[in-house]
Structure formats: C-alpha cells, structure tokens
Amino acid sequence: MTSACARQASGARRGQAIVENDATDSRADDCGAGATCRERGIDYLVHGAVLDLQVGPRRLAATVHGTRRYRVDVALTLPRQADMQATLARVQQARTAAAGPERRTAVERAILVGGPGLFPGPAQIHGECTCPDSPCCKHVVAAVYAFGVLLDRE
C-alpha cells in the first residue's frame, strides 16, 4: 500500500472512535488519496463488506465485497523496539498522571499523539487488492479498519 492509504488505515486501529479523533483525521487528510478513500473504507466496514478477515504474523488478509468480491492482502512491519518501548513509557506516565474518566483519554492520547507507537505507521503498512484501484483503495482501508475493530474488541 502506498503511504497515502497507509496513513488513513494506520489510525484505524481503534475503529470508529478514531475516525472522530482530530489528530488521526489530520493524518488522513495530508495524504494523496484524501479523505474519500478513508470514508469509503469506513462505509464498507460499517455495512459489513469485510468478509473472512484473517490475521497472521505481520499479515492481514480479507475478502471485501464491493462491486465484486476483492481479495485484500496487507503486510505489516512492526515499529522499532525502541519506539514501542517509548510509547509504553508514555502510556505508563499517562496512567499514573490521570485519574477517573480522564485516564482513558490520556492513555489514548499517549498512544496516538506521541510519535511512533505500538502499531505500524503509514510506511509500515503495505497492501494489495485485486480491484482496479489497488494498491491504494477503499478495500485495503476497510480491511485495516476491520483489524482495528478486532483489536478494540480483544
């Protein structure tokens, strides 16, 4: 996947709640594919078009029903160990600094806004789709968002 759709998809790891987060939206808006690809990917997810999501080590695969059924494959490269450790330290600091309902918001902010984090960034997400718009398409975005929803449920 080009970095354009990767930017959109990388913020998707928390599902629809992330769509409403201004920091994540700004990441999606600064890429070449624009917000339309992200919006359509969310629409596909919301309407149940992501079928047969399979998660493997550093890889996602799904069938996404659009005009036809398209096969999506996404390779993920994990962030550097030092970056993940720094994010975990920010999360721990946020957990101890905030209390009550503010704690969740502080932890989310530490993950999303603090630079490289626990999840693959735009340059670390590479997708392919059997549709004519591949590699950067709404089907890839929908599959990555579906993975985000799955993570949120776990």
Side-chain angles (χ1 to χ4, degrees):
M1 173 189 308
T2 65
S3 62
C5 276
R7 286 187 191 278
Q8 297 162 6
S10 69
R13 63 189 171 276
R14 298 287 322 255
Q16 187 67 30
I18 291 300
V19 174
E20 298 165 2
N21 181 306
D22 290 338
T24 305
D25 279 348
S26 66
R27 267 194 273 166
D29 292 339
D30 71 359
C31 58
T36 303
C37 183
R38 179 178 51 93
E39 295 291 329
R40 292 293 309 231
I42 293 168
D43 287 346
Y44 275 51
L45 175 64
V46 169
H47 291 98
V50 179
L51 312 171
D52 189 34
L53 178 66
Q54 299 173 8
V55 179
R58 295 183 167 100
R59 191 167 261 343
L60 305 174
T63 300
V64 180
H65 188 76
T67 308
R68 306 183 173 148
R69 288 186 181 213
Y70 298 108
R71 190 71 190 150
V72 173
D73 290 297
V74 181
L76 306 169
T77 304
L78 295 177
R80 296 177 324 137
Q81 186 69 27
D83 292 337
M84 290 192 293
Q85 292 297 335
T87 299
L88 290 173
R90 286 192 310 270
V91 167
Q92 184 60 33
Q93 181 180 10
R95 287 183 67 219
T96 58
E102 293 83 28
R103 180 176 282 166
R104 179 181 178 96
T105 302
V107 168
E108 286 179 351
R109 190 170 296 123
I111 293 170
L112 293 174
V113 181
L118 300 174
F119 302 97
Q124 299 160 321
I125 300 173
H126 306 280
E128 294 180 9
C129 182
T130 57
C131 81
D133 296 330
S134 184
C136 184
C137 68
K138 58 195 169 228
H139 310 107
V140 170
V141 173
V144 175
Y145 269 77
F147 178 60
V149 171
L150 180 66
L151 285 177
D152 205 31
R153 287 183 188 160
E154 297 292 318

